[in-house]
Amino acid sequence: MSSDKPFILDDFLPYQLAVVAERVSRQFSRHYREMFGLSRSEWRVVAHLSQQPSVSVREIAAQAELDKSKVSRAVSRLETQGYVTKESSPADRRLVVLALTDKGRQMVAKLTPIAEAYQQEVLSDLASDADGFRSALKRLMAEPGQRG
């Protein structure tokens, strides 16, 4: 599959997506970093825990596309700060189940309106393209065998 066209990195979609994701993530990270001293990994753990009453490290790592060791380190720091609890699963004692504490839920409650406002800011940058962009992202986020 050769082409006479030269490869231009700035036009390569995976590269563009990675750069945009990094910039958007970095811009939003200033909020949770300044308010609560959280790293990106810690924020992603908290965000996932805010969606489910309890979840395992393995599940968060898979859903967030994070390395399991990164999730484990983030969870340890969050537990030390009082935002997360860890317990053995009653169904499988080898599995550690995570949950937000009251302090963790309060943090999420403070960050939610900020996250929603930031999302509106990003969507307004997309203007009339926002709906199509979000639809395309959902398709790209689906597992390859489930894309329609």
Side-chain angles (χ1 to χ4, degrees):
M1 181 178 184
S2 71
S3 172
D4 292 338
K5 272 178 58 175
F7 178 75
I8 301 171
L9 182 61
D10 287 341
D11 292 340
F12 186 54
L13 183 61
Y15 175 76
Q16 292 171 330
L17 289 170
V19 169
V20 167
E22 176 62 26
R23 285 183 185 160
V24 169
S25 182
R26 185 179 58 238
Q27 289 168 0
F28 179 62
S29 73
R30 75 178 191 273
H31 297 292
Y32 55 77
R33 187 179 55 248
E34 289 172 6
M35 292 177 72
F36 298 99
L38 299 180
S39 69
R40 284 189 209 177
S41 297
E42 291 164 345
W43 160 249
R44 289 170 82 177
V45 168
V46 167
H48 277 276
L49 288 173
S50 75
Q51 303 299 297
Q52 303 173 49
S54 62
V55 68
S56 72
V57 168
R58 184 181 320 138
E59 291 168 320
I60 291 175
Q63 292 170 358
E65 297 289 337
L66 283 172
D67 184 69
K68 190 177 171 199
S69 63
K70 229 179 200 183
V71 174
S72 293
R73 285 191 301 273
V75 167
S76 292
R77 289 188 302 267
L78 290 165
E79 185 181 31
T80 299
Q81 295 170 334
Y83 294 124
V84 168
T85 60
K86 292 192 298 191
E87 295 180 9
S88 294
S89 168
D92 181 350
R93 305 296 289 166
R94 297 169 297 170
L95 190 63
V96 175
V97 177
L98 311 170
L100 289 175
T101 62
D102 286 340
K103 183 179 177 182
R105 285 188 290 281
Q106 290 170 7
M107 175 179 48
V108 170
K110 288 178 183 172
L111 284 169
T112 296
I114 295 167
E116 290 170 348
Y118 181 69
Q119 176 170 282
Q120 286 307 323
E121 185 183 318
V122 172
L123 290 172
S124 70
D125 287 343
L126 294 170
S128 63
D129 296 326
D131 289 341
F133 183 78
R134 292 192 70 161
S135 178
L137 277 179
K138 284 182 182 180
R139 285 192 307 275
L140 288 173
M141 287 182 69
E143 291 297 326
Q146 299 173 339
R147 292 183 187 157

